[in-house]
Amino acid sequence: MIRTLRRLAPPLVLVALGLVAWQWYVTAADVRPQVLPSPLRVVEQGWAFRDQIWANTVPTLQVTAVGFTVSLVLGWALAIAVDFSPWLRRALVPLFVASQTLPIVAIAPLLIIWFGFGLLPKVVVIALVTFFPVTVGLVEGFAATDRQATNLLRSMGASRWEQFRYVRLPGALPRFFTSLRIGITYAVTGAIFAEYVGATAGLGIFMSVQRNSFRTDLVLAAVVVTALVSVALFALTYLVERLVVPWRPREVRHG
Amino acid sequence: MGEGKLVLDGLRKAFPGLPVLDGVAFDVAPGEFVSLIGPSGCGKSTLFDVVAGLETPDAGRVLVDGEDTTGRVDPFAYMPQRDLLFPWRTVLDNTTLGLEVAGMSRRAARERARPLFAPFGLAGFEKARPQELSGGMRQRAALLRTVVQDRAVLLLDEPFGALDSLTRTDMQTWLEGVRAHYGWTVLLITHDIREAVFLSDRVVVLAPRPTSVVREVAVDLPRPRTVEMITSARFAAVEEELLAALRGGRAP
Ligand SMILES: Nc1ncnc2c1ncn2[C@@H]1O[C@H](COP(=O)(O)OP(=O)(O)OP(=O)(O)O)[C@@H](O)[C@H]1O
Ligand SMILES: [Mg+2]
């Protein structure tokens, strides 16, 4: 607990310093809040509009959860398929890479045209931006299995499936959690972006509406909420990891 | 046990552009302990892979009790060069892995492995994780995982190679004791001539790559072997003979 606090202290100090400087600048230079509201104003207005912000946070969380779940299911299925079939590996891995060159900015509006304002286009956007780290992390994790470990299992008479179950799968889990963390942060920003392009509710569309009415303070309040959600989900992955991969070597401790 | 006469008959193996085994042939009698020594990189591990059915030989056969078992894994229990204990399993469940793969229920497998923990010096560490074990204990756990499979022949690839010399000596004396008790048929790879002499009934010397048998030296020291024997004249004579064979096998 104390160690966690000590680890969190430096970034928090930096953030606090930044906020103080920001507050001082806005006050001293008398900047109009439409251009740059002070941090205090952001908090004040964010709190005043908390019901509306919360009402828009819930749909974003839902979209993120559904999109990321789809991405995980897809990622696991593809990664396992690739691990069992050299042909699929040759066929799919280049396509995974190619999928990352699609300009989401251009694709997202098209998805809205094709699939409407419902859940589907957002899920597609989130899946598109998150399945790559998840899938590649798994594919590489499986493939990183020690040759001698494979030989040991083979010498015991293990089938390909048993090799996967007893060695490849557990061996890939630490790497999977690393890519899961990358994926989950992409998922939240992906959801916001998809909503920004078109939605009936959600933090993305909330930001878009508030920007159009020059409520910069509320845009920033929503940004803060987004950041908090991302950090919370990020921290959650550590919790899950500790349950699923209790053997993972602890990271190097500083201080 | 007691069964398990192993015959290697003219084994040849080449990797693309690299001939490794050049007609390796020798026998191991049931209950016999045979060590393999040879220059680094000569193909000892490759020979094990071929014998254990993990690699297919280009020519030659592997026979167990007269039956051609080339390419089959089931007569052999194989201990690779590194211990390869998996951190996600407890020590007990690492040792039962081969039994589980063979289709035994986890419970039955544990019941089978548990009684071996005391003679293997691992009592009380059943529920520990491999990371909590010392180097010597890890090797004993890996060996336990190997022998509990109850296969005809044990193939041990440098089991003590990574240990410090003191632990290594302890392990050798310990292995000498348990081997005599269980009567395993063992083929052991080692870099350590003293270890080979101390543990073996016979030592097979391999030539540099592409390798074949240079020489077989019988070790006619009484059993059980004791640490005092290491300084005996007979022990030194066998060591001398092996060193000469190793030197003679070096390409001119
Ligand atoms: N799968 C493989 N493909 C290609 N070459 C290989 C393969 N496995 C081993 N070799 C090569 O075959 C030769 C013999 O290797 P091997 O591991 O059998 O030697 P070794 O006698 O066990 O060596 P060491 O004493 O270092 O354990 C080496 O040159 C090695 O690079
Ligand atoms: Mg080797």
Side-chain angles (χ1 to χ4, degrees):
Chain A
M1 190 64 208
I2 294 201
R3 194 178 308 122
T4 313
L5 280 179
R6 207 178 288 166
R7 190 131 41 112
L8 286 179
L12 288 181
V13 167
L14 274 188
V15 168
L17 283 177
L19 289 175
V20 169
W22 176 2
Q23 181 76 36
W24 172 81
Y25 171 74
V26 169
T27 321
D30 200 17
V31 188
R32 283 191 307 138
Q34 288 89 331
V35 178
L36 182 67
S38 75
L40 281 180
R41 188 190 163 96
V42 170
V43 171
E44 211 172 70
Q45 291 302 307
W47 183 249
F49 280 77
R50 62 185 180 276
D51 291 340
Q52 211 179 326
I53 292 179
W54 178 246
N56 283 293
T57 305
V58 173
T60 302
L61 280 176
Q62 279 166 347
V63 167
T64 306
V66 174
F68 199 52
T69 306
V70 167
S71 174
L72 281 178
V73 171
L74 207 70
W76 273 92
L78 286 172
I80 293 174
V82 161
D83 194 56
F84 275 84
S85 160
W87 187 87
L88 276 182
R89 179 186 301 271
R90 281 194 301 274
L92 285 179
V93 172
L95 294 184
F96 295 161
V97 177
S99 78
Q100 293 312 288
T101 64
L102 295 179
I104 300 288
V105 187
I107 301 275
L110 293 182
L111 291 172
I112 304 253
I113 297 177
W114 297 333
F115 303 122
F117 285 80
L119 197 60
L120 190 57
K122 297 174 194 70
V123 167
V124 173
V125 167
I126 295 170
L128 214 54
V129 296
T130 60
F131 99 99
F132 183 74
V134 170
T135 313
V136 170
L138 276 174
V139 166
E140 286 179 352
F142 295 148
T145 305
D146 193 285
R147 242 185 71 88
Q148 283 201 50
T150 307
N151 274 348
L152 174 67
L153 265 286
R154 282 179 57 211
S155 81
M156 292 168 169
S159 63
R160 186 62 177 71
W161 164 248
E162 284 166 326
Q163 290 168 35
F164 180 80
R165 177 180 151 200
Y166 288 117
V167 181
R168 301 178 80 83
L169 174 64
L173 286 179
R175 205 181 294 220
F176 165 69
F177 274 95
T178 304
S179 47
L180 183 75
R181 273 190 271 285
I182 301 171
I184 198 110
T185 48
Y186 287 1
V188 180
T189 40
I192 304 274
F193 176 75
E195 289 167 353
Y196 209 83
V197 176
T200 46
L203 285 173
I205 197 70
F206 177 82
M207 289 182 206
S208 173
V209 168
Q210 299 308 328
R211 186 206 51 185
N212 288 339
S213 45
F214 299 101
R215 289 303 304 268
T216 314
D217 47 358
L218 290 179
V219 175
L220 288 176
V223 167
V224 170
V225 171
T226 309
L228 290 178
V229 166
S230 295
V231 169
L233 290 176
F234 191 80
L236 191 66
T237 64
Y238 277 102
L239 207 73
V240 176
E241 180 180 24
R242 194 160 297 185
L243 295 175
V244 179
V245 194
W247 68 86
R248 180 172 192 162
R250 295 267 173 273
E251 274 152 58
V252 184
R253 286 172 191 150
H254 300 282
Chain B
M1 294 240 171
E3 290 304 291
K5 180 180 165 54
L6 170 65
V7 177
L8 313 192
D9 178 16
L11 290 173
R12 289 175 181 280
K13 175 76 188 175
F15 294 113
L18 186 80
V20 178
L21 305 182
D22 188 24
V24 177
F26 62 90
D27 299 354
V28 181
E32 195 180 17
F33 195 118
V34 174
S35 288
L36 273 174
I37 60 174
S40 200
C42 74
K44 301 181 293 293
S45 297
T46 305
L47 179 65
F48 264 24
D49 288 348
V50 168
V51 172
L54 303 173
E55 293 272 8
T56 328
D58 301 333
R61 293 182 307 162
V62 177
L63 301 146
V64 175
D65 295 328
E67 194 189 343
D68 187 341
T69 66
T70 316
R72 265 172 50 191
V73 299
D74 53 289
F76 304 99
Y78 173 63
M79 177 168 167
Q81 221 160 333
R82 288 191 293 115
D83 61 50
L84 292 172
L85 297 171
F86 298 124
W88 49 85
R89 294 187 149 233
T90 62
V91 176
L92 180 60
D93 288 344
N94 264 286
T95 63
T96 59
L97 187 60
L99 299 173
E100 278 181 55
V101 167
M104 197 182 269
S105 77
R106 187 171 267 207
R107 221 172 112 212
R110 284 175 174 170
E111 288 324 304
R112 175 100 154 255
R114 218 176 244 124
L116 288 172
F117 268 66
F120 275 67
L122 293 167
F125 285 89
E126 289 84 351
K127 291 210 174 86
R129 295 271 169 185
Q131 339 30 327
E132 299 164 42
L133 301 186
S134 69
M137 294 172 93
R138 290 182 70 104
Q139 293 311 116
R140 288 199 295 269
L143 188 64
L144 202 166
R145 177 185 63 197
T146 314
V147 304
V148 79
Q149 296 176 65
D150 205 14
R151 302 275 175 91
V153 181
L154 303 181
L155 302 175
L156 313 180
D157 193 345
E158 293 196 48
F160 311 137
L163 302 177
D164 63 86
S165 68
L166 214 65
T167 317
R168 180 190 277 235
T169 310
D170 287 348
M171 292 289 289
Q172 290 161 357
T173 344
W174 168 79
L175 181 60
E176 166 66 6
V178 283
R179 190 210 65 89
H181 183 257
Y182 292 101
W184 301 318
T185 306
V186 185
L187 189 52
L188 170 99
I189 293 177
T190 178
H191 267 123
D192 182 342
I193 295 181
R194 180 162 297 176
E195 175 173 290
V197 177
F198 183 75
L199 291 170
S200 312
D201 300 306
R202 199 149 44 89
V203 182
V204 174
V205 182
L206 293 175
R209 196 183 62 235
T211 197
S212 57
V213 175
V214 174
R215 184 95 204 255
E216 294 186 31
V217 177
V219 183
D220 54 351
L221 292 165
R223 297 245 183 212
R225 307 275 163 80
T226 59
V227 187
E228 291 73 51
M229 287 181 196
I230 294 176
T231 48
S232 73
R234 230 148 123 203
F235 197 103
V238 179
E239 270 187 304
E240 199 51 52
E241 197 176 349
L242 289 171
L243 261 173
L246 269 176
R247 274 201 221 97
R250 198 165 291 161

